[in-house]
Amino acid sequence: MSKAIILVALCFLPALAMSGRPNKNPFIVRGRVYCDTCLAGFETSASTYIPGAVVRLECKDRRTMELTYTHEARTDSTGSYKILVSEDHEDQFCDTMLVSSSQLRCSNVSPAHDRARVTLTRFNGIASDERFANNLGFLRDAAAPGCADIMKQYQETED
């Protein structure tokens, strides 16, 4: 009987010990923050990337919508950010969102590009630890010169 108890303990104790530890390989959430210089509502060839912008990652419980995790990051000189997340958020909604811009003339949040959903679990078939969030955007206070020509490129033409 005691051998059976020892055998069961040896089988389940390592699993219990591992369940409470953070993952060896953290998730890496990556994205960029841009300035919509033409007020197009999307990235154009005139869009620029914002260094020093602040982005927040928030995770909320799917059922209660209670905030369970938050972490902020600042973009580098290329407007890119990277957030390391050491735990799995399987039953949670996780979003990256804009907090602030470092550019006074481009600090209005673009309503359709203010947040991006990311999946932070290893139980979904994604083999990589990297997660790429859609780019987040701020709107410039007024359209930059030359935007009319750029916007003509996006107009539909009938053939």
Side-chain angles (χ1 to χ4, degrees):
M1 179 71 173
S2 64
K3 288 182 181 180
I5 293 173
I6 291 172
L7 181 63
V8 169
L10 288 175
C11 290
F12 290 109
L13 282 178
L16 287 174
M18 292 299 290
S19 67
R21 289 185 179 176
N23 295 320
K24 285 183 183 179
N25 298 330
F27 291 108
I28 303 165
V29 178
R30 295 181 187 273
R32 292 183 92 180
V33 177
Y34 69 93
C35 178
D36 181 358
T37 55
C38 289
L39 306 178
F42 52 87
E43 287 180 82
T44 65
S45 58
S47 295
T48 59
Y49 294 98
I50 303 176
V54 179
V55 176
R56 179 183 304 128
L57 172 68
E58 287 185 355
C59 295
K60 295 181 179 180
D61 183 271
R62 286 179 190 262
R63 290 176 288 288
T64 65
M65 297 307 290
E66 180 181 334
L67 185 65
T68 58
Y69 181 83
T70 185
H71 186 9
E72 287 189 0
R74 189 172 298 273
T75 58
D76 63 16
S77 62
T78 66
S80 301
Y81 63 88
K82 178 171 82 169
I83 301 173
L84 300 178
V85 182
S86 60
E87 58 270 340
D88 198 283
H89 294 274
E90 180 180 13
D91 293 324
Q92 298 170 15
F93 292 124
C94 296
D95 294 306
T96 58
M97 60 194 67
L98 294 171
V99 175
S100 65
S101 172
S102 62
Q103 297 179 357
L104 293 177
R105 296 205 61 201
C106 193
S107 59
N108 298 317
V109 173
S110 177
H113 304 282
D114 64 328
R115 62 182 52 235
R117 175 91 11 117
V118 290
T119 303
L120 296 176
T121 184
R122 288 183 167 70
F123 304 109
N124 60 0
I126 300 174
S128 172
D129 292 327
E130 289 190 89
R131 301 295 190 262
F132 295 94
N134 288 339
N135 289 350
L136 305 175
F138 286 100
L139 296 171
R140 194 163 189 257
D141 55 357
C147 283
D149 293 333
I150 291 171
M151 294 309 293
K152 285 179 186 176
Q153 297 172 8
Y154 296 102
Q155 291 179 343
E156 291 184 348
T157 59
E158 293 182 28
D159 293 329

